[in-house]
Amino acid sequence: MDLVYFFDNLDEILALSLEHLRISLTALMIALPVALVVSVIGVWFRPARQPLLWTVGALYTIPSLAMLAFLIPSQGLGLRPTLILLVMYAQIFLVRNIVTGLTGVDPAVLEAARGVGMTPFQVLGRVWLPIALPVILAGVRIALVTIIGLAILGGWVTAGGLGELLFSGINTNHPAKVLAGLIAIVSLALLTDLTIRLIESLTSVARARRAGNRR
Amino acid sequence: MATNQRSGTSGSSISIHALTKRYPGSSAAAVNAVNLDIAPGELIVLLGPSGCGKTTLLKMINRIYEPTSGSIVIDGVEVQSLKASELRRHIGYVIQQTGLFPHMRVAENVAVVPKLLKWDRDRTRERVSQLLEVTGLPPEIYANRYPSQLSGGEQQRVGLARALAAEPPTMLMDEPFGALDAITRTRLQDELKRIHKQFSQTILFVTHDIEEAVRLADRIVVMREGRIVQVGSPLEIVRGPADQFVSDLVGSQDVLRRLSLMPARTAMEPLHGTPPDLAQSISGEVFLREALSMLMESGDPFIAVTGSDGTAIGTLSMTSIQRAAAPPDTPDR
Ligand SMILES: Nc1ncnc2c1ncn2[C@@H]1O[C@H](COP(=O)(O)OP(=O)(O)OP(=O)(O)O)[C@@H](O)[C@H]1O
Ligand SMILES: [Mg+2]
């Protein structure tokens, strides 16, 4: 195994990495509003909470390759089945953390928010979500890193991304190509993780917490 | 009512009629057919043992809870006819657990209601600094702190400032000083009294601390098991408790408590002729408890009582204090 392939094909690998990131972010952008609606329903209507958490948990236990194979007959090849798969598997991390974050906010703070005259949506947007944000962002981080890993399967159904590199390396018995793909995917995941951690540290709650620790 | 903007605060009138709240699944009503008329600018203290329905009554006024039946009218407007969020923007609300917004700085916490009311930036900023001054939190020190950087007492002050921000004509305060040490509590009570004197909001203040009730109230409303059992000034309640329950609750049998409620002028021997030359004097507005200490410390048989202009208007002796402190009649005994 050597890194010659990696450095000789840097341009192509970079292009595939960007495509991989684009697919992953697209999946996240679809997954996030879905998870937010599911979570808010789970938080506002108490009886729905456990069933919803159970459902997104159950979805995650289905083997991903089997799920993708199951999607192909109805969705065909390409981006569509891949995005559906990614959105489904991201739900557990997103919903779990959004629900945990929202239910973890001090009820007295929420009562105060209502008491000063915020409408239910103002309570959600100005107090509830901002306070829960660090926990939610942690969920987004884990979800996105998971999505980036799972999106490799896209290479199997011609959706593009770094999966193409890996699968063609395996099919053509070309270990250097597989290694190059591996390096790229790990770098992408690590970079994403770091970036979101940085965003987490910039939230108002994180700022307040740092200020509190300084006192 | 409150929905038009006011310049300078003045209190609302509040009229509560046949108000009942029954929580789902409980047989007894938490608030049971309560009637109460509150005059503009009154400071009403709701007093009663734990679970008697004080919080429930308070929270129906700003519609955190909805009544089972009955009505609440503020300045002639039925609260049920208003949008809850609109109503609440004109009612200051201080809760026991403070409920400060942990992700907002002190200044942002205080500016929440002005922002909801869409005040312009300058007016809001000015009002916030003014309020931080009023509540004893110099803005240059506190404005940019987070709630986690404040002591319990400071947090309560911010909670008070936040509730006062939009000059609400009505304030609801649910055991706001409950979790504080005695010294801080007394200081905040004094500040509240000063603010009330300055702006004369109508205030409903919940406590189960009789000392606090006595110190603050224009009128005390004594509650028991969801009902009002007595309404009156602190002195009226302590001197003439309606029944054994009230007597025990407010400690009517406690001589010192009664003395701490009666101004010196109510017990003095009025002066006839030239004022005697007495070493010690005390204002007629000072309570007898303090007069008693002075009398005992001085060792003199008499001290002078002075009027508002500082001239002597009467004298006070051990005998006159004893007479004034005679135990009240309790109907049940
Ligand atoms: N959300 C609720 N659901 C059901 N019952 C409630 C609820 N809130 C209060 N109660 C009941 O209603 C009664 C009155 O409660 P409330 O909180 O008004 O009392 P309180 O006078 O404020 O007491 P404390 O001094 O302990 O705060 C109590 O018996 C209480 O158990
Ligand atoms: Mg209470």
Side-chain angles (χ1 to χ4, degrees):
Chain A
M1 284 210 252
D2 58 78
L3 291 173
V4 175
Y5 179 89
F6 181 80
F7 287 110
D8 282 355
N9 298 276
L10 213 50
D11 282 354
E12 195 208 339
I13 292 170
L14 208 62
L16 282 175
S17 299
L18 284 178
E19 190 180 38
H20 196 96
L21 187 64
R22 210 188 57 228
I23 296 169
S24 304
L25 286 176
T26 308
L28 181 71
M29 287 306 123
I30 302 168
L32 206 51
V34 173
L36 205 59
V37 171
V38 171
S39 307
V40 169
I41 291 172
V43 172
W44 271 341
F45 303 104
R46 186 82 218 245
R49 191 179 303 167
Q50 272 317 311
L52 285 172
L53 284 172
W54 186 85
T55 308
V56 295
L59 271 182
Y60 186 74
T61 61
I62 303 171
S64 48
L65 209 59
M67 178 59 89
L68 189 55
F70 172 77
L71 285 169
I72 292 170
S74 60
Q75 307 296 325
L77 295 176
L79 207 53
R80 258 180 85 103
T82 311
L83 285 179
I84 293 174
L85 181 86
L86 298 179
V87 168
M88 269 170 45
Y89 280 79
Q91 291 306 308
I92 180 154
F93 304 108
L94 295 173
V95 171
R96 199 183 52 193
N97 277 46
I98 296 172
V99 168
T100 306
L102 290 179
T103 52
V105 175
D106 182 356
V109 170
L110 295 178
E111 189 185 306
R114 289 208 297 148
V116 298
M118 293 187 190
T119 63
F121 280 100
Q122 286 170 333
V123 173
L124 187 65
R126 297 187 190 192
V127 177
W128 214 350
L129 280 175
I131 295 176
L133 196 58
V135 180
I136 295 174
L137 279 176
V140 168
R141 176 163 49 82
I142 302 164
L144 189 54
V145 170
T146 305
I147 286 174
I148 287 173
L150 272 177
I152 294 173
L153 291 181
W156 190 51
V157 290
T158 70
L162 289 164
E164 304 249 320
L165 198 65
L166 282 163
F167 280 110
S168 97
I170 292 167
N171 291 339
T172 58
N173 198 11
H174 190 337
K177 211 172 181 178
V178 175
L179 180 67
L182 221 54
I183 293 172
I185 200 92
V186 170
S187 314
L188 198 57
L190 281 177
L191 264 169
T192 305
D193 187 85
L194 273 175
T195 309
I196 301 183
R197 277 182 200 276
L198 182 73
I199 297 172
E200 282 174 55
S201 74
L202 295 177
T203 57
S204 53
V205 174
R207 231 178 313 138
R209 198 172 296 145
R210 276 197 301 277
N213 290 342
R214 267 204 312 274
R215 113 184 160 102
Chain B
M1 59 154 261
T3 36
N4 3 326
Q5 215 139 74
R6 291 159 182 264
S7 60
T9 318
S10 60
S12 295
S13 70
I14 301 175
S15 190
I16 296 170
H17 182 68
L19 192 67
T20 296
K21 172 73 179 179
R22 214 177 285 280
Y23 288 107
S26 79
S27 52
V31 168
N32 201 343
V34 161
N35 294 299
L36 184 64
D37 280 306
I38 302 170
E42 258 193 305
L43 201 167
I44 297 285
V45 170
L46 299 177
L47 180 72
S50 191
C52 70
K54 308 179 294 291
T55 299
T56 305
L57 175 57
L58 200 71
K59 286 182 181 177
M60 282 192 278
I61 294 172
N62 66 353
R63 295 186 56 194
I64 297 278
Y65 295 155
E66 300 293 352
T68 309
S69 62
S71 74
I72 299 168
V73 174
I74 301 182
D75 286 341
V77 180
E78 172 84 47
V79 297
Q80 297 295 326
S81 71
L82 297 167
K83 215 177 135 203
S85 55
E86 278 299 322
L87 169 77
R88 292 179 192 138
R89 287 172 198 181
H90 300 277
I91 298 180
Y93 185 40
V94 186
I95 56 179
Q96 172 163 15
Q97 312 87 329
T98 48
L100 295 184
F101 304 125
H103 60 306
M104 296 183 192
R105 295 170 193 276
V106 166
E108 295 170 291
N109 264 282
V110 178
V112 159
V113 183
K115 249 188 202 151
L116 288 170
L117 293 171
K118 304 195 161 56
W119 286 18
D120 67 53
R121 201 178 288 256
D122 288 343
R123 183 175 175 209
T124 304
R125 187 158 355 100
E126 205 169 298
R127 178 71 180 154
V128 168
S129 325
Q130 181 198 350
L131 272 169
L132 291 179
E133 294 284 1
V134 168
T135 49
L137 298 163
E140 61 281 7
I141 301 175
Y142 290 99
N144 287 322
R145 290 209 190 165
Y146 286 97
S148 59
Q149 295 171 284
L150 303 175
S151 72
E154 290 164 343
Q155 290 182 19
Q156 288 294 358
R157 284 165 202 261
V158 178
L160 184 58
R162 179 176 67 183
L164 288 165
E167 305 180 342
T170 306
M171 296 271 290
L172 307 177
M173 309 181 73
D174 195 352
E175 301 191 40
F177 310 140
L180 302 174
D181 65 90
I183 293 173
T184 311
R185 190 184 320 168
T186 310
R187 204 158 50 212
L188 280 172
Q189 286 163 353
D190 289 343
E191 257 152 47
L192 178 65
K193 277 175 86 164
R194 210 193 60 236
I195 290 165
H196 180 237
K197 201 171 226 164
Q198 191 177 348
F199 301 103
S200 56
Q201 310 91 335
T202 303
I203 301 181
L204 270 94
F205 188 107
V206 166
T207 186
H208 43 226
D209 175 0
I210 170 67
E211 301 285 347
E212 183 165 72
V214 158
R215 200 169 292 142
L216 293 175
D218 292 326
R219 281 194 298 162
I220 295 177
V221 172
V222 183
M223 289 183 71
R224 178 191 195 181
E225 291 168 8
R227 293 180 182 277
I228 292 181
V229 288
Q230 192 173 7
V231 181
S233 72
L235 189 57
E236 281 164 9
I237 301 249
V238 174
R239 295 256 289 179
D243 57 21
Q244 193 60 42
F245 167 79
V246 179
S247 172
D248 291 344
L249 182 75
V250 302
S252 290
Q253 302 308 314
D254 179 344
V255 175
L256 287 178
R257 170 148 306 144
R258 291 200 301 277
L259 290 182
S260 63
L261 281 170
M262 300 168 66
R265 63 181 155 69
T266 61
M268 70 187 184
E269 308 283 351
L271 205 60
H272 303 291
T274 38
D277 190 22
L278 296 176
Q280 306 275 350
S281 72
I282 195 163
S283 156
E285 297 309 312
V286 164
F287 290 112
L288 282 176
R289 189 167 172 170
E290 201 176 311
L292 180 66
S293 311
M294 186 182 274
L295 202 56
M296 291 174 83
E297 275 168 21
S298 70
D300 300 339
F302 294 98
I303 54 175
V305 178
T306 58
S308 51
D309 57 357
T311 59
I313 54 170
T315 60
L316 210 54
S317 67
M318 221 46 138
T319 325
S320 46
I321 292 178
Q322 258 166 6
R323 190 164 354 100
D329 309 320
T330 30
D332 287 1
R333 277 203 175 155

